[in-house]
Amino acid sequence: MTIDNSSTTIKFPEQTRQRRQKVRKAVLPAAGLGTRFLPATKAQPKEMLTVVDKPQIQYVVEECVAAGIEHIIIVTGRGKSSIEDHFDASPLLEKFLEDKGKTDQAELVRSIGDMVQISYTRQKEPLGLGHAVLVARDLVGDEPFAVLLGDVLIPGKNPATKQLIDVYEATGLGAIAVEEVPKHKTHLYGIVNAEPAPQPPFGARLLRIKDLVEKPKPENAPSNLAITGRYVLPPEIFEYLAQTKPGSGGEIQLTDGLRILAQQQGLWAYIYEGVSYDAGDKLGFLIATVELALQNEELGAGFKAYLKSLKLN
Ligand code: UTP
């Protein structure tokens, strides 16, 4: 198939089809300082803040598992060791619970450690999301991989990561999740400049990226499609990130690497099915907590009744 409109020509299947591989690995960057959430994040990782009954990063790990990912690489940093502890086995706690006859709880604790293979690597300084992905290079190796931001939650039965994997495995090109945001809020997001490239089975959800713009003012925004925090990328992204010059604060932006990828190989934007919650700032976290509490099987009905009882002005 060849898509040839405007500036870039995307050619496949010849080169890419041979390279097309199963997406087995995922990188979860979780080394940021979480400054928007101070003071909560002074001594604990933002990714470990609890939404309803589990840390944010557990939702993200569960999305990976539901998407068929076999090996997760979490990029941590100083002060983030509680993430490793959370996904480790807890023999003492398990034995304590079993001795008390609390077998369900013992099984719950055990299942967190048994979910999936997880490796950890450290980003010594928080030099940006692109840099965090780059430090996972050796652990990923020469194969495609998913990236999931540790503080963006996308609940639901059809994992956004799986939707992107389907696009990658069908086309051999990387894909990033996008969603519509109100036009007046484009300055809060990475925004794609993309044109429809509908094709079965993805239909109008699939767009070809021409460019990506970081936080444009509404009047300069090329669209209202915001980058959501889920990506499936070919291994060549590492080379492009390595070529990327650090911007302000010495940070390497993932967006800069994606721009080169879009130009060199082609890159899809995919309007995924689902809703995301950016739990990385205080208001987003509160919204995520309310929404997920309402969806929670055990707590949802009681919480809804409580919300209804509130007399809000
Ligand atoms: P954010 O920008 O939301 O995280 O990055 P942050 O930098 O921790 O937050 P603020 O802006 O200071 O409040 C999205 C994800 O990328 C990771 C973060 O941990 C978060 O999960 N990240 C960001 C890194 O791993 N390394 C970095 O250098 C930057």
Side-chain angles (χ1 to χ4, degrees):
M1 185 187 99
T2 299
I3 298 173
D4 190 0
N5 31 27
S6 78
S7 52
T8 316
T9 303
I10 301 173
K11 295 197 195 80
F12 55 93
E14 270 53 34
Q15 316 95 309
T16 43
R17 182 181 277 165
Q18 296 150 4
R19 283 191 51 79
R20 218 177 299 169
Q21 289 166 278
K22 189 170 156 25
V23 180
R24 301 184 309 123
K25 296 185 181 177
V27 174
L28 275 49
L33 297 179
T35 55
R36 286 170 296 156
F37 224 123
L38 283 167
T41 46
K42 182 167 177 280
Q44 65 175 324
K46 160 170 84 168
E47 297 78 9
M48 285 300 291
L49 296 178
T50 301
V51 173
V52 186
D53 60 353
K54 55 192 170 192
Q56 295 175 29
I57 196 159
Q58 187 176 332
Y59 289 92
V60 179
V61 166
E62 286 172 357
E63 180 183 328
C64 288
V65 173
I69 294 291
E70 295 163 13
H71 183 180
I72 294 174
I73 296 134
I74 303 184
V75 182
T76 66
R78 202 160 293 122
K80 300 272 185 173
S81 52
S82 58
I83 297 178
E84 292 183 44
D85 291 342
H86 183 73
F87 292 108
D88 199 359
S90 307
L92 275 180
L93 179 59
E94 284 167 33
K95 182 166 182 326
F96 175 86
L97 291 168
E98 256 152 21
D99 289 350
K100 297 258 174 215
K102 298 183 174 175
T103 44
D104 286 359
Q105 284 187 312
E107 183 46 41
L108 177 72
V109 169
R110 193 172 303 116
S111 68
I112 297 169
D114 287 348
M115 253 190 296
V116 62
Q117 181 190 355
I118 304 184
S119 303
Y120 298 89
T121 187
R122 277 201 172 207
Q123 187 188 24
K124 289 181 186 149
E125 279 180 85
L127 291 177
L129 180 56
H131 183 262
V133 171
L134 193 52
V135 302
R137 184 177 192 165
D138 278 355
L139 284 167
V140 172
D142 190 26
E143 58 180 286
F145 63 104
V147 176
L148 296 85
L149 300 194
D151 55 357
V152 175
L153 311 183
I154 309 185
K157 298 223 174 327
N158 183 13
T161 299
K162 176 73 172 80
Q163 298 175 45
L164 298 180
I165 289 174
D166 289 344
V167 173
Y168 175 84
E169 291 183 350
T171 67
L173 293 186
I176 68 176
V178 295
E179 66 185 45
E180 291 190 41
V181 295
K183 190 86 185 178
H184 67 275
K185 288 193 174 170
T186 56
H187 62 290
L188 301 173
Y189 302 94
I191 299 289
V192 295
N193 179 357
E195 61 192 4
Q199 55 183 281
F202 307 111
R205 292 183 177 276
L206 198 63
L207 299 101
R208 186 178 71 84
I209 293 182
K210 295 196 282 187
D211 200 4
L212 305 101
V213 193
E214 260 314 321
K215 304 187 170 131
K217 288 187 188 144
E219 59 272 27
N220 300 329
S223 75
N224 68 338
L225 292 173
I227 302 169
T228 304
R230 299 290 186 269
Y231 314 75
V232 168
L233 302 170
E236 289 78 14
I237 188 68
F238 292 122
E239 200 44 54
Y240 303 140
L241 286 170
Q243 287 168 20
T244 301
K245 300 248 177 320
S248 64
E251 293 201 351
I252 294 181
Q253 301 300 342
L254 182 57
T255 310
D256 292 336
L258 295 176
R259 186 173 297 118
I260 308 177
L261 179 66
Q263 286 157 5
Q264 299 286 323
Q265 281 198 357
L267 179 64
W268 302 117
Y270 188 70
I271 305 171
Y272 72 99
E273 263 183 87
V275 182
S276 73
Y277 301 104
D278 181 355
D281 67 31
K282 292 173 187 177
L283 183 59
F285 179 86
L286 287 174
I287 293 170
T289 302
V290 170
E291 293 287 349
L292 273 91
L294 287 169
Q295 291 170 30
N296 187 283
E297 274 180 26
E298 203 182 313
L299 305 168
F303 187 57
K304 189 172 185 179
Y306 166 70
L307 289 182
K308 279 187 165 169
S309 76
L310 291 177
K311 307 239 177 319
L312 299 175
N313 297 320

